Amino acid sequence: MNQPDNPVRPTARQLVDAALERLPYVPLDGQLCLLAALAQFSVSHGPRDVFMLNGYAGTGKTSVVGSVIGAMESFGMKTVILAPTGRAAKVASLLSSHPASTIHKRIYRGNSANPAEAHYFLAQNRDVNTLFVIDEASLISDTLSPGHAGSLLDHLARHIYSAPGCAMVLVGDVAQLPPVGQVSSPAMSRDRIAALGLNPICASLDVPVRQSAE
């Protein structure tokens, strides 16, 4: 989406109003509170803040987050959507009406055109003042990556917060299966995120609201 050269920084209230115009339904109280919290985070997050959203299936978390992303872009604010797998990235793109890519494609670079011979390294984040929304964050692995000093979760945090003004929103569902080989979802653990030197801000949605076409 084209963004103005000199974006106008909105207030949280303006962002909420713009997001509400994009929601296809009247939000419940919990969804409205989440929308307000996300809007406030988007315009005033600290340099190491992380917004962690746990939402069960059908609670409307994707619609709420998507509406905030659309509202941000209408004011020229930059967003990037990532997901752990190609399938999850495709679903996130369709549901949010915003391009999405995998975490690996975003944060790693290879030193050879042949993937079989390439040595991958952590890329520099060149996007300043950008909100990174990580969908299906429950699937992010926290085991050591082959050939790397650190896990995918650690590398993701290092990549995003290496550029000024950047922050991330982790969107997941702790009721889903955790990453392979792990008993829980580390990216949705407040303690694990804090151990990365980040400041977790937690929110949740637990009321299913999916309805029929009527």
Side-chain angles (χ1 to χ4, degrees):
M1 180 181 293
N2 294 329
Q3 297 170 334
D5 294 332
N6 298 302
V8 177
R9 192 73 172 182
T11 64
R13 179 70 257 180
Q14 289 173 318
L15 206 56
V16 168
D17 290 341
L20 285 173
E21 293 178 358
R22 288 163 171 77
L23 269 180
Y25 54 81
V26 177
L28 300 177
D29 289 345
Q31 294 170 328
L32 188 58
C33 288
L34 170 61
L35 197 158
L38 264 176
Q40 187 64 53
F41 179 85
S42 300
V43 300
S44 63
H45 59 77
R48 303 292 289 178
D49 287 348
V50 180
F51 194 97
M52 300 173 62
L53 170 58
N54 175 58
Y56 301 134
T59 55
K61 64 180 183 294
T62 300
S63 297
V64 173
V65 173
S67 71
V68 173
I69 291 172
M72 290 178 65
E73 292 194 327
S74 72
F75 286 100
M77 301 171 71
K78 295 188 294 183
T79 59
V80 171
I81 298 181
L82 303 175
T85 67
R87 181 179 180 278
K90 184 176 181 180
V91 172
S93 179
L94 291 173
L95 293 178
S96 65
S97 301
H98 186 288
S101 69
T102 64
I103 296 172
H104 285 78
K105 183 177 181 179
R106 167 73 197 198
I107 72 174
Y108 294 126
R109 295 291 180 270
N111 59 1
S112 172
N114 184 352
E117 299 176 354
H119 172 73
Y120 291 92
F121 57 91
L122 191 61
Q124 180 181 352
N125 182 11
R126 301 185 182 278
D127 288 308
V128 301
N129 301 321
T130 300
L131 186 70
F132 288 75
V133 178
I134 319 300
D135 199 24
E136 298 288 358
S138 313
L139 300 177
I140 299 175
S141 172
D142 196 30
T143 56
L144 291 180
S145 302
H148 296 284
S151 67
L152 180 61
L153 177 59
D154 175 48
H155 290 169
L156 175 64
R158 285 164 53 190
H159 173 82
I160 291 175
Y161 290 92
S162 65
C166 290
M168 69 176 170
V169 176
L170 295 169
V171 182
D173 180 357
V174 295
Q176 291 183 334
L177 290 175
V180 176
Q182 299 185 271
V183 297
S184 61
S185 299
M188 301 307 294
S189 165
R190 184 189 197 104
D191 291 342
R192 180 61 184 126
I193 295 301
L196 293 173
L198 302 174
N199 176 39
I201 299 170
C202 301
S204 63
L205 285 178
D206 55 11
V207 179
V209 293
R210 284 181 182 161
Q211 298 176 349
S212 67
E214 295 179 354

